[in-house]
Amino acid sequence: MARKQVASSTRKRRVKPIATNRSRKSRKYNLMLTRSRTRSRARISQLADDVFNLTNEARAAAGLRPLKKLLITTTLPNGETLTTDQLSDIATLKARDMRDNHYFAHTSPTYGTPGEMLTEFGVNWTAYGENIAAGQRTPEAVMQSWLNSPGHRANILNPNFTYLGVGYVPGNDQSEFQTYWTQLFVTL
């Protein structure tokens, strides 16, 4: 069974040695594991960012304004600030939910409809749209699939949407597909 983890690019994780032997070799091995996980998270985040950018390229080609990220900044108790992309976090949760709960649909058994999910996570939307895909291996391939579908294309080129969140998660041993993608479009 694949191990489930929540990935956050804004969170630093302190690594505890796995081995009871505190030799330099075991600490080096743990550091290598952490760097590998960090690179994986960075790669996943980059794939979602590529879809975000490709979406805005398609909109620009159609003479539309680019979509923005819905950034939320929070001040932590220690005084530091943390900025997150709220819609992309929600879109990633939806993609992960599809993978982990073995479904492919707009209505989630965990979160309900996309509108219910957005509301549950504090997004005060006036209109929303959702595109989902599974199995496409690259940002270019998933964008091509969506642009070739009239309904998905309509979401991408809807002039009323102002914000976009993109979620991507790789498949695992238990999942039907190797990739899961979600786009959440919102008008506030």
Side-chain angles (χ1 to χ4, degrees):
M1 177 186 273
R3 194 169 166 193
K4 297 177 188 175
Q5 293 183 357
V6 176
S8 173
S9 61
T10 57
R11 196 175 192 178
K12 292 185 180 177
R13 183 183 226 167
R14 190 173 205 133
V15 177
K16 295 180 182 176
I18 295 169
T20 55
N21 177 353
R22 296 244 180 208
S23 70
R24 280 193 163 175
K25 184 177 181 182
S26 68
R27 280 182 281 180
K28 182 178 178 183
Y29 174 73
N30 289 321
L31 183 58
M32 287 170 36
L33 285 176
T34 302
R35 286 183 182 152
S36 174
R37 287 185 199 131
T38 302
R39 281 193 294 265
S40 292
R41 283 188 217 133
R43 175 71 180 138
I44 288 170
S45 179
Q46 184 59 54
L47 292 170
D49 284 344
D50 289 350
V51 170
F52 184 90
N53 293 330
L54 289 168
T55 301
N56 277 330
E57 286 176 19
R59 289 175 64 87
L64 298 171
R65 289 172 295 141
L67 297 168
K68 300 176 279 190
K69 295 183 178 189
L70 186 57
L71 301 177
I72 304 296
T73 302
T74 305
T75 303
L76 302 175
N78 65 2
E80 293 181 31
T81 57
L82 173 69
T83 301
T84 59
D85 179 354
Q86 186 178 22
L87 282 180
S88 290
D89 289 348
I90 297 167
T92 301
L93 282 174
K94 173 64 180 273
R96 184 178 301 120
D97 187 52
M98 288 192 296
R99 179 195 66 194
D100 294 348
N101 291 306
H102 311 287
Y103 74 95
F104 183 76
H106 291 289
T107 301
S108 159
T110 308
Y111 302 108
T113 67
E116 290 168 339
M117 186 175 187
L118 288 164
T119 300
E120 181 179 336
F121 287 100
V123 178
N124 296 315
W125 55 272
T126 58
Y128 72 86
E130 178 184 70
N131 288 346
I132 58 174
Q136 296 83 354
R137 292 183 181 254
T138 65
E140 294 79 12
V142 73
M143 281 302 297
Q144 192 60 50
S145 293
W146 283 329
L147 289 170
N148 287 338
S149 164
H152 296 100
R153 183 180 185 85
N155 278 341
I156 291 169
L157 300 180
N158 185 328
N160 297 317
F161 290 137
T162 51
Y163 294 94
L164 170 64
V166 179
Y168 164 80
V169 295
N172 59 32
D173 304 5
Q174 311 287 311
S175 60
E176 181 177 351
F177 301 102
Q178 291 184 356
T179 59
Y180 292 82
W181 307 85
T182 305
Q183 285 182 315
L184 284 173
F185 302 88
V186 171
T187 303
L188 299 181

